[in-house]
Amino acid sequence: MQVKIEESWRKVLQEEFDKPYFEQLVGFVKNAYATQTVYPKAKNIFNAFNLCPFDNVKVVIIGQDPYHEPGQAHGLCFSVPEGIQIPPSLVNIYKEINADTGSAIPLSGDLTRWALQGVLLLNATLTVQAHLAGSHQNKGWETFTDAVISILNRNKEHLVFLLWGSYAIKKSVLIDKTKHLVLTSPHPSPLSAYRGFFGNKHFSQCNNYLFNNNIQQIIW
């Protein structure tokens, strides 16, 4: 199956695109867009990949599924487009970056600038029906994004995986911790940030690891 996605990703993922489950997933997604309001816009489903080519990936942040209210989702986990109110979890991420690194807290919730530096902002599920969190889970997306994690794990070295919350932490079984740095903590949601997300120092730890492996650090 031909999928419109950045070329370096198409090469490493073509085997997945040719599998029966992916064909079924595409059928489900096409029908959903034709009959429901679905986020993000279809052109942004693979935005995380298009902005961060395979060869550029340094850091992987794993979210669960896209924001399900109007104007928020644009294909990058935790991110919202310019001009949209910054969601509570991202507010807390910015607070931790500020406390950890001293970087100023941005006024925009658009994390495109991270993606362009090599941060793959990967949701486990890449589409969602409006107003219904988790509505496109268990349709095949997780099989695909688990394959993405496994391919990165296998084909690259010295990646940093930031896994926040129990859902993301479960993905650590796909990662070889002798080749990559895996940092885990509670989720940055207001419900759990005070249980250990604040103070996790993941952003400085990430940059120290990149520096020690002669990889350009992320400007958070």
Side-chain angles (χ1 to χ4, degrees):
M1 174 174 284
Q2 279 295 108
V3 175
K4 281 185 73 174
I5 193 170
E6 190 276 332
E7 183 60 17
S8 64
W9 280 110
R10 191 193 60 73
K11 286 178 180 171
V12 297
L13 292 172
Q14 189 58 52
E15 207 173 290
E16 290 304 305
F17 297 149
D18 291 337
K19 290 180 179 177
Y21 88 85
F22 196 84
E23 196 169 332
Q24 292 172 350
L25 172 61
V26 168
F28 165 79
V29 170
K30 281 184 174 175
N31 181 65
Y33 274 92
T35 59
Q36 307 162 355
T37 301
V38 177
Y39 301 128
K41 291 177 181 173
K43 67 178 182 180
N44 287 332
I45 292 174
F46 294 113
N47 206 18
F49 302 89
N50 295 335
L51 291 170
C52 184
F54 180 79
D55 295 338
N56 293 2
V57 179
K58 305 173 189 174
V59 180
V60 183
I61 299 178
I62 298 175
Q64 195 156 351
D65 62 350
Y67 295 120
H68 53 269
E69 296 303 327
Q72 292 184 305
H74 66 146
L76 306 175
C77 72
F78 293 104
S79 178
V80 291
E82 191 79 33
I84 299 295
Q85 184 176 356
I86 301 175
S89 290
L90 184 53
V91 168
N92 287 339
I93 290 168
Y94 282 169
K95 285 180 181 174
E96 176 56 25
I97 291 171
N98 173 253
D100 182 18
T101 71
S103 297
I105 293 177
L107 300 176
S108 168
D110 187 346
L111 301 180
T112 297
R113 60 198 170 80
W114 291 5
L116 295 174
Q117 294 180 78
V119 182
L120 182 67
L121 294 160
L122 182 66
N123 276 315
T125 303
L126 298 187
T127 55
V128 67
Q129 186 177 343
H131 317 303
L132 287 173
S135 48
H136 288 188
Q137 291 178 7
N138 303 314
K139 304 295 184 185
W141 277 131
E142 296 91 339
T143 305
F144 171 69
T145 52
D146 280 359
V148 170
I149 296 166
S150 296
I151 288 165
L152 285 165
N153 171 65
R154 196 163 58 243
N155 292 292
K156 294 182 80 76
E157 291 186 343
H158 308 311
L159 295 178
V160 181
F161 289 85
L162 302 181
L163 308 182
W164 303 326
S166 58
Y167 185 90
I169 289 168
K170 286 175 187 167
K171 305 295 182 183
S172 63
V173 298
L174 303 169
I175 304 161
D176 180 350
K177 296 168 192 65
T178 66
K179 283 174 68 179
H180 308 290
L181 178 64
V182 178
L183 297 174
T184 64
S185 82
H187 195 275
S189 155
L191 299 173
S192 55
Y194 288 95
R195 296 192 211 128
F197 178 80
F198 288 136
N200 66 21
K201 299 192 182 301
H202 281 184
F203 303 95
S204 59
Q205 288 185 68
C206 170
N207 273 349
N208 288 339
Y209 180 83
L210 295 175
F211 178 80
N212 290 334
N213 286 287
N214 300 310
I215 300 166
Q216 190 166 7
Q217 297 167 296
I218 306 299
I219 301 169
W220 298 109

